[in-house]
Structures are given as C-alpha cells and as structure tokens.
C-alpha cells in the first residue's frame, strides 16, 4: 500500500512572490521490501520513487508497511517505523518489553530480534563501516566476524539480560519517571526497564512521583553496594525528599552552573575491575555493562602484551581504568602517562592510581596536552576516545611515536573505521579486531582494534 503525499497549501512570500515550501511526508505509509541493516539501529528500504527510508522496528528481508516519522519531499532520506509486518523474518520475535515498538521508548533498537540475530546484525554493521570508511575487509582487520556477548548475556530468545547499571530517567510534566521516545523529548512513562541492572531496578524509581524534576540518573556500582541518584530539577523547583527502596547517595545538577553537587552521602561510587577498586565521582564515566570493564581490560592487555619497563600512554583515560592495568604490568621500571579532559575524572584517576609512583595524569584535551609533553617515543598506547573518534591530527601524532602496539577502544564503528584509515596512512596496520555486544537490545557495541607498524606485519 502506498499513499500519495498530501500537498502543503502553506506559502511564504518574499517580495510578493510565492516561495515553495517543502512538503512534509510525516505520516505517509509505504509498503516496502526491507534491505540491509545500517549503522544506527535501522534497516534500509526504498519507496517506489527511489527515496531512501531508514526503517526502525524491522529486520532485513521483511516486507512491511513503513510510516514516515521524519522527512519531506526531496530529502536525501526519510526516517520511518515499521507499523505492520506483512512478511516477517525468521529472526523476528515478539518484543519482550511492553514499552518497545513504534512511537514508544527509544532506548532499545532490537527487542524484536532474536539475541543471535542482534549480534549478526551488529557484525554486519561493523563489516560495512570497515569496508566503506577504511577500505578493510574483516580478514584484513584480523576479525572473524564474531560479535561476542558478555559473560552471562547469552540467553534464549524472549529473555533479556539486565545489564544497564546507569539509567537516565526522564520525568514528564506530571512527575512520572520514564524514558525518552526515539529522537524525541517526549517521555514514555514506564513501570520497569527490562535492561536495567538489578541494582537500579531495586531502587523503585518508577514507582514514585518526582514533582519538579526534569531527569533522574540512577547508578548501581559494580563490585560494591554503592547506589547513587543524580537529580536535575526544573528551573526554580525544589528538591523532593528522596526516599527509595535502598540506601542511596543523592546529588543534584546545579541550575546556574550545571555542576554536580552533593546533597547527602558519598559524592562518588566505588567500581571494581581488574582486581582494583576505582572511585568514580559525580556521575563520571564508567562502562555501563557490569562485565564491560573487565572484558575490555582483558582484551586490551592480551592485545598489547605489556612488558616490564615499557613506557605507555593512556589517552582519554577517564578515572584511570587502563592506566591502572598498564601500571600493574609495566612494573616499577615502566611508566604510564594518562591524559583526560574532565577535571573531576582527573581527580579520581590521581586518587585511584596514587599507589603507582610512575603514573602521571595530565588534564586537558589530548591534542593539546600530548604535544606539550615533549614525548617523542613510546612503547604502547591505549586510546579510548569519545564517540566522535580521535581524528586525523591526533592519529598522525600517535603514529609518529613509534609504538610497538596500539589498542584502540571504540564505541562507534564509523569513528573507528575513519581513524583506522588515518592510522594506515601513518604506517600502522590492524593486527586484530574484537567486537563485543556490551549493549544488548540496542544497536551499540564496543570494538577493540590492536594495531602495529605495517612493516612488522609485511
């Protein structure tokens, strides 16, 4: 079924002449054959006129009715939801979550896909990004195409791992906690998030009213019983008395400065990884999946194979997870320099690694701080950049340092692929790539690429 788009009657006039206005196609429906998965939690289809549709809530090979949610005539692409499944994929299941589906919660992308199919789809996305942006086949990247689940996450279809140790709840005008709808500020009230970790769910946030609040972040630490909520009030609102089902520390976001301020309890949570405890303050970054930190540290150390006496860099080091692992392994004769832009994260990293005399943490942007250090040679590099990646300039600088091996930890396959292309231009090749499904039910994943000088592999 295909509907003719409605023509807009609205005109704007400039100099007495009518100016054409793009016609919105929101709400139009198209019957389409669904093509391959694309980066971002959707699949690609085309209208009979050839216009590209990015369709959520579908799977490759299905025939569906797609309803446009964003876009207009002449746009490069439209966004749409599959609102009727005419010919389902064998990988389709009934979404376990009652809040998943078109127009509902935007937190999960693949509730309607079997767990194994989710991992295959993610693998296809990584392979496509590598080929398109880096010119690499999986074989050239040292990858067998496998996307590995975290320990304990390999569950039958219809069962959902409860992995999310940090959940950002939005609050609607009536004070009800929920989650944002896809690409929207609208709130989907919920009574339970299936992917929330037990330590978050047991707080009972969804069962309470939150008048005057804009959002609530709930944190359940891994390896300790620390629980924390961070409240963001609406302008002029007073904080409510926080009485939850488990003891928590409470923080608030300042209305004027946007900073995180302690209300009561510890201003940090204690996380555990690689047999070490890390302090993470003020809602600072820590891997969301309870197994992620250990999984990534193990993979990075196995790829780098640190030696006693090595000089190592940990870039975008956060609270010092990889710097601590490196320091343990390079020993007293080695040295580690960490660079991190966040002031509170730097304070935490220095606290967490105070026992290591040969670890130094510098605050600032990597591209600014690293050239000022005067370092012109290192043995090992770990970089875990933000979603946008490290970028050409930083990669070129790192390639000039002659590291024996480089570990690139990436949460976005497109940024990873772009940077791998830059590294190739700097004389490095990918020795090994590993991909982990540390965000089940979503389109997100984590990659670790191990690089070495190309001449070594030739």
């Amino acid at each position: 079924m295909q509907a003719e788009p409605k023509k807009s009657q609205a005109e704007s006039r400039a100099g007495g002449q009518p100016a054409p206005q793009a016609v919105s196609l929101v709400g139009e429906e198209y019957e389409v054959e669904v093509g391959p998965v694309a980066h971002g939690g959707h699949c690609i289809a085309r209208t009979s006129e050839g216009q590209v549709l990015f369709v959520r809530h579908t799977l490759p090979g299905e025939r569906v009715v797609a309803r446009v949610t964003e876009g207009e005539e002449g746009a490069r692409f439209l966004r749409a939801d599959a609102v009727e499944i005419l010919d389902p994929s064998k990988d389709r299941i009934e979404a376990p979550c009652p809040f998943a589906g078109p127009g509902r919660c935007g937190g999960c992308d693949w509730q309607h896909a079997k767990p194994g199919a989710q991992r295959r789809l993610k693998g296809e996305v990584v392979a496509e990004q590598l080929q398109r942006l880096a010119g690499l086949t999986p074989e050239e990247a040292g990858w067998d195409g496998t996307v590995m689940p975290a320990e304990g996450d390999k569950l039958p279809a219809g069962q959902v791992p409860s992995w999310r140790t940090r959940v950002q709840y939005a609050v609607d005008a009536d004070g009800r906690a929920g989650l944002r709808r896809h690409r929207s500020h609208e709130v989907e009230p919920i009574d339970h998030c299936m992917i929330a970790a037990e330590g978050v769910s047991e707080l009972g946030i969804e069962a309470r009213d939150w008048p005057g609040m804009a959002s609530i972040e709930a944190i359940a630490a891994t390896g300790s019983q620390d629980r924390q909520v961070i409240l963001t009030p609406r302008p002029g609102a007073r904080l409510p008395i926080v009485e939850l089902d488990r003891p928590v520390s409470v923080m608030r976001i300042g209305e004027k400065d946007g900073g995180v301020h302690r209300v009561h309890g510890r201003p940090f949570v204690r996380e555990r990884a690689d047999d070490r405890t890390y302090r993470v303050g003020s809602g600072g970054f820590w891997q969301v999946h309870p197994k992620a930190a250990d999984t990534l540290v193990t993979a990075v150390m196995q790829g780098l194979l640190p030696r006693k006496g090595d000089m190592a860099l940990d870039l975008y080091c956060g609270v010092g997870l990889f710097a601590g692992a490196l320091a343990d392994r390079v020993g007293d004769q080695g040295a580690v320099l960490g660079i991190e832009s966040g002031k509170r994260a730097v304070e935490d990293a220095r606290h967490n690694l105070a026992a290591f005399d040969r670890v130094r943490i510098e605050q600032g942007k990597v591209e600014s701080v690293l050239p000022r250090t005067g370092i012109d040679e290192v043995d090992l590099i770990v970089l875990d950049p933000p979603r946008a990646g490290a970028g050409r300039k930083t990669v070129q600088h790192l390639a000039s340092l002659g590291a024996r091996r480089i570990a690139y930890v990436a949460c976005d396959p497109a940024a990873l692929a772009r940077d791998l292309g830059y590294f190739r231009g700097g004389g490095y090749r990918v020795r090994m790539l590993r991909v982990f499904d540390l965000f089940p039910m979503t389109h997100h994943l984590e990659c670790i690429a191990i690089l070495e000088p190309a001449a070594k592999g030739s």
Side-chain angles (χ1 to χ4, degrees):
M1 55 183 289
Q2 181 174 325
E4 285 293 320
K6 298 179 179 64
K7 297 294 183 181
S8 171
Q9 300 301 313
E11 288 184 337
S12 62
R13 294 181 178 270
Q17 297 299 317
Q21 184 175 15
V23 177
S24 172
L25 297 180
V26 173
E28 297 298 327
E29 295 184 353
Y30 300 92
E31 184 177 311
V32 295
E33 300 287 339
V34 178
V37 65
H39 182 31
H42 48 249
C43 297
I44 298 174
R46 290 182 182 271
T47 68
S48 58
E49 291 82 11
Q51 195 165 19
V52 173
L53 289 171
F54 289 159
V55 188
R56 283 172 54 84
H57 309 291
T58 189
L59 295 169
E62 292 188 327
R63 188 164 57 92
V64 305
V65 175
R67 180 181 298 154
V68 177
T69 57
E70 293 181 43
E72 56 197 24
E73 282 187 350
R76 191 163 56 90
F77 63 84
L78 307 173
R79 296 185 184 275
D81 285 340
V83 294
E84 184 178 353
I85 312 302
L86 304 175
D87 187 6
S89 165
K90 61 181 177 56
D91 290 323
R92 175 174 286 276
I93 60 171
E94 186 74 23
C97 177
F99 306 106
R104 305 296 300 278
C105 173
C108 291
D109 306 290
W110 301 118
Q111 286 269 352
H112 58 285
K114 295 176 181 177
Q118 294 182 36
R119 292 189 286 272
R120 288 197 303 275
L121 292 170
K122 294 184 184 189
E124 290 172 15
V125 168
V126 173
E128 189 271 337
Q129 297 293 303
L130 286 173
Q131 181 64 60
R132 186 168 64 86
L133 298 175
L136 291 172
T137 66
E139 292 75 18
E140 290 169 331
W143 177 46
D144 64 2
T146 302
V147 177
M148 295 295 297
E151 180 185 344
D153 278 359
K154 200 167 185 179
L155 299 173
Q159 294 187 28
V160 177
S162 302
W163 57 270
R164 194 171 187 91
T165 61
R166 295 174 177 231
V167 177
Q168 182 82 37
Y169 295 93
V171 181
D172 68 14
D174 296 323
R176 297 176 299 175
L179 299 172
R180 298 283 186 193
R181 292 170 181 156
H182 182 61
R183 295 176 61 84
S184 171
H185 293 293
E186 294 183 5
V187 179
E188 178 76 19
I190 64 171
D191 55 28
H192 175 64
C193 175
M194 294 187 75
I195 65 172
E198 181 181 355
V200 170
S201 295
E202 67 186 12
L203 295 178
I205 285 173
E206 303 98 328
R208 284 163 173 73
D209 291 331
W210 298 93
M213 296 300 102
S215 68
I216 307 152
E217 183 177 7
I219 300 170
T222 301
S224 77
Q225 293 300 310
D226 292 351
R227 305 288 182 264
Q228 186 178 83
V229 295
I230 303 174
L231 305 178
T232 302
R234 297 183 187 276
R238 297 170 59 92
L239 283 185
I241 297 174
V242 179
E243 294 180 342
L244 295 172
D245 294 344
R246 295 290 187 276
V248 294
S249 60
V250 179
M251 312 289 286
R252 68 166 292 167
I253 303 297
E255 183 177 335
K256 294 183 178 179
D257 62 4
V260 184
H261 304 279
R262 186 175 73 90
V263 177
H264 68 75
R266 290 192 186 100
F268 58 84
V269 296
R270 295 164 296 177
E271 303 280 4
R272 187 81 179 164
D274 196 40
D275 296 325
R276 180 173 298 280
T277 297
Y278 290 85
R279 186 182 81 181
V280 184
S282 302
F285 176 78
W286 187 261
Q287 288 288 341
V288 178
H289 194 293
K291 300 289 185 181
D294 275 324
T295 297
L296 297 177
V297 166
T298 298
V300 166
M301 295 303 123
Q302 288 176 345
L304 290 180
L305 298 175
R307 302 168 185 168
K308 297 296 184 183
D310 276 343
M311 165 61 191
L313 297 177
D314 180 11
L315 308 180
Y316 316 93
C317 71
V319 300
L321 173 64
F322 294 113
L326 287 165
D328 271 335
R329 291 159 175 83
V330 303
D332 294 338
Q333 299 305 308
V336 180
L337 170 65
I339 301 176
E340 166 60 38
S341 61
K343 181 179 179 181
R344 180 56 197 260
V346 168
E347 293 173 358
D348 287 336
R350 289 171 177 166
H351 169 86
N352 294 332
L353 306 177
F356 296 106
D357 293 334
R358 301 273 290 170
V359 173
R360 188 168 95 248
I361 307 295
E362 296 289 345
Q363 183 187 350
K365 294 183 177 180
V366 168
E367 60 269 27
S368 300
V369 174
L370 187 56
R372 294 202 304 264
T373 65
I375 294 172
D376 58 11
E377 186 177 0
V378 296
D379 298 300
L380 302 173
I381 299 172
V382 178
L383 65 156
D384 185 4
R387 187 168 298 278
R392 186 191 299 271
K393 183 178 179 181
T394 296
V395 167
Q396 289 174 340
H397 188 168
L398 298 181
S400 74
L401 300 179
R404 182 174 76 247
R405 286 193 178 176
I406 298 172
Y408 190 127
V409 184
C411 61
D412 185 271
L416 171 66
R418 282 193 295 270
D419 285 347
L420 291 182
Y422 301 149
F423 270 114
R424 183 167 58 182
Y428 276 79
R429 75 176 188 102
V430 186
R431 175 185 176 88
M432 177 179 65
L433 176 69
R434 300 182 70 184
V435 185
F436 298 95
D437 185 14
L438 301 180
F439 310 90
M441 304 293 153
T442 79
H443 75 272
H444 299 290
L445 48 82
E446 204 82 20
C447 299
I448 295 178
I450 304 298
L451 299 99
E452 65 182 11
K456 184 175 180 179
S458 60

